[in-house]
Amino acid sequence: AENMYFFSDLALTLNEPEERVAPTDSRLRPDQRLMENGLWDEANVEKQRLEEKQRAVRRRREAEAVEALEEGKDYEGYIPLWFERKVDAVTGELICVYKGGYWEAKEKQDWSLCPDIF
């Protein structure tokens, strides 16, 4: 445990790679893999690359929203693949509810709808 940041055995296994998962699975993050392999400098460079990629996507979406507004069109923005936002009937809070599709995609190994986030 002292060699692995004093994490429990369970905590250490939670991030283990798994085959046949979506390409957006956080266990596939390249910066995380580099960090776990002790390659700190490379992990930091990769993390910066990923963050800039995320910022570029956000800027593109914001520009699309402005353009749609200027043209008087509706703009839906990002729509999650396997979850939808709903209001919880009991608490009144906004929650994300699984809407299906992941397990079917996993069985078929058809990840064509997944965005390229890494």
Side-chain angles (χ1 to χ4, degrees):
E2 62 273 4
N3 291 331
M4 296 303 287
Y5 314 106
F6 295 96
F7 288 161
S8 68
D9 287 340
L10 172 63
L12 289 171
T13 61
L14 290 176
N15 204 40
E16 286 297 312
E18 180 182 328
E19 294 181 7
R20 302 176 52 83
V21 295
T24 53
D25 190 295
S26 64
R27 293 170 289 184
L28 300 177
R29 279 181 50 165
D31 60 323
Q32 189 169 298
R33 287 284 136 228
L34 290 166
M35 183 190 70
E36 289 177 353
N37 291 330
L39 301 170
W40 296 98
D41 292 338
E42 293 89 339
N44 285 326
V45 169
E46 184 61 18
K47 184 174 186 233
Q48 292 297 320
R49 184 193 69 79
L50 290 173
E51 288 174 347
E52 184 50 43
K53 185 174 183 174
Q54 292 170 354
R55 288 184 197 105
V57 169
R58 185 193 70 229
R59 287 190 297 265
R60 180 182 49 81
R61 287 185 182 145
E62 289 171 350
E64 288 172 354
V66 168
E67 183 179 322
L69 181 64
E70 290 172 350
E71 295 175 2
K73 297 179 182 175
D74 288 334
Y75 180 73
E76 291 187 18
Y78 176 74
I79 300 172
L81 293 177
W82 300 301
F83 294 89
E84 60 186 337
R85 291 187 175 121
K86 291 187 173 185
V87 175
D88 185 281
V90 175
T91 66
E93 293 182 14
L94 191 61
I95 60 172
C96 293
V97 178
Y98 179 64
K99 66 180 180 181
Y102 174 81
W103 298 109
E104 295 80 1
K106 184 173 183 175
E107 185 171 320
K108 294 177 187 173
Q109 284 297 285
D110 178 7
W111 304 115
S112 58
L113 297 177
C114 289
D116 175 20
I117 63 172
F118 302 132

